[in-house]
Amino acid sequence: MSENLDFLGQLDPDDPKQASQQIANKLRAAILTRRLAPGDKLPSQPELATRYSVARETVKRALDLLRAERLIVSRQGSGAFVRAQTQRAVELRPHIEAVFERPHVSIDFAGFSGETLRDALAEALDKVRVGRLAPETIAVRVLISDMTVPMALPSRAETQADDPAVRERAERITRRAAEAIIDQVAELGDLGLVRSTTVEVRMHRASPLFKLYILNDEEVFYGFYPVVERTVSIKGEPLAIYDLMGKDVPLFHYAVTDDDASHGTQFVEASRQWFDSVWSTIAYRYDG
């Protein structure tokens, strides 16, 4: 971010506040007025030190103040970014694309059907096909509910009971999304566009109540599935069901920082441990 930084102003030599506090105030103002929007990368520490004619340690103290206020988040090897959830829940798609700009891509998903992941991947994979993105490896793990066994959700609304016909509809949706992810990623390897591609899908017998995405073991996106009553067509007849609605649910963003004790770092680590524990214990292979 070496373009024009005039909107960050200059330090006031007559201001009794310390230089680090002045720098923090200017960056805070830029964030709150959206000159630096959620997800934007901040100028680097050397750029800020040069701009304000201070030592990098002074800049670091300023960024520490903003990090403590949960206005910014630092990502290892990438710099500091405006924390997305300070303004609103975040969209997954641009973050998926950013991961594909790295040499090695790993994505873990846990949830209902994987439809949102399939759609978010589609655009990034298209850019790989036309040469605009060129990762060396892609590894995707998908952890979904087995809709061939009795479930609490989805269910008949009238009785709140498991219904094989309702599950059969959900199983078709789940299978369609999972197989699309498998096929789309594998195609890039088959075409020789990516050196190594793997997609693993496992299932379990628990109803999904939330969705979880882990990107490169550095970022997590987490959202809850609302349970809603709606009418769907089952074998040509309308039926009221309690269903899980995943499309457009708010996703909240957490990222690893240089501080092992930070909320983001701990949330990512806990998410990774949870995913691996289910994956390696009660989950079993999906036979598409």
Side-chain angles (χ1 to χ4, degrees):
M1 186 168 179
S2 56
E3 63 265 32
N4 192 334
L5 300 179
D6 287 347
F7 68 92
L8 292 177
Q10 298 290 342
L11 300 187
D12 182 356
D14 297 324
D15 192 327
K17 299 186 188 71
Q18 294 183 345
S20 58
Q21 183 65 64
Q22 289 192 57
I23 295 170
N25 290 347
K26 292 184 181 301
L27 289 169
R28 185 187 302 105
I31 292 169
L32 296 179
T33 59
R34 298 180 67 84
R35 296 300 299 269
L36 290 169
D40 278 358
K41 185 176 181 179
L42 270 65
S44 68
Q45 290 188 26
E47 285 176 319
L48 291 170
T50 298
R51 173 164 192 85
Y52 294 119
S53 300
V54 297
R56 285 186 61 176
E57 187 61 29
T58 301
V59 172
K60 185 177 182 302
R61 287 198 297 272
L63 296 180
D64 287 343
L65 292 171
L66 298 177
R67 194 176 296 111
E69 295 174 26
R70 297 182 58 78
L71 287 174
I72 67 170
V73 60
S74 297
R75 300 176 190 164
Q76 290 177 319
S78 299
F81 296 77
V82 179
R83 185 185 287 272
Q85 71 265 30
T86 57
Q87 298 292 333
R88 60 178 184 274
V90 297
E91 184 186 353
L92 179 66
R93 192 183 306 269
H95 293 270
I96 292 278
E97 187 169 319
V99 169
F100 272 78
E101 295 174 355
R102 310 275 287 274
H104 304 288
V105 177
S106 73
I107 299 174
D108 292 339
F109 166 77
F112 177 33
S113 70
E115 284 185 297
T116 302
L117 176 61
R118 176 199 63 196
D119 295 343
L121 279 172
E123 190 170 335
L125 296 177
D126 283 343
K127 291 184 178 182
V128 175
R129 290 188 188 93
V130 299
R132 292 176 58 188
L133 295 171
E136 298 175 18
T137 66
I138 302 173
V140 180
R141 295 191 297 176
V142 177
L143 188 60
I144 50 180
S145 297
D146 185 352
M147 289 295 156
T148 66
V149 299
M151 287 278 166
L153 290 166
S155 64
R156 281 180 173 261
E158 182 180 4
T159 61
Q160 299 184 28
D162 173 74
D163 188 310
V166 173
R167 282 192 286 104
E168 182 182 346
R169 172 184 172 276
E171 195 269 340
R172 288 197 304 271
I173 295 171
T174 298
R175 183 176 297 273
R176 192 162 56 233
E179 293 183 355
I181 293 170
I182 293 169
D183 292 344
Q184 290 171 6
V185 174
E187 181 190 33
L188 299 181
D190 294 340
L191 294 173
L193 298 175
V194 178
R195 176 167 55 82
S196 171
T197 61
T198 60
V199 179
E200 294 182 82
V201 180
R202 294 188 184 181
M203 312 184 83
H204 57 82
R205 293 182 172 87
S207 293
L209 297 177
F210 62 86
K211 59 169 60 178
L212 175 74
Y213 304 84
I214 306 174
L215 308 186
N216 274 17
D217 286 338
E218 296 174 353
E219 295 181 90
V220 161
F221 296 83
Y222 182 91
F224 296 98
Y225 287 121
V227 179
V228 299
E229 181 176 347
R230 67 192 191 104
T231 301
V232 299
S233 177
I234 303 288
K235 297 181 179 179
E237 297 293 330
L239 180 68
I241 68 171
Y242 285 140
D243 204 4
L244 298 154
M245 297 301 291
K247 184 175 174 57
D248 298 326
V249 300
L251 290 176
F252 298 94
H253 180 219
Y254 303 85
V256 171
T257 73
D258 295 327
D259 179 4
D260 291 342
S262 74
H263 182 67
T265 298
Q266 293 186 49
F267 194 93
V268 171
E269 179 60 25
S271 299
R272 188 166 49 202
Q273 290 178 359
W274 175 87
F275 187 98
D276 287 339
S277 72
V278 176
W279 184 267
S280 61
T281 56
I282 64 171
Y284 44 91
R285 181 177 175 181
Y286 165 80
D287 293 319

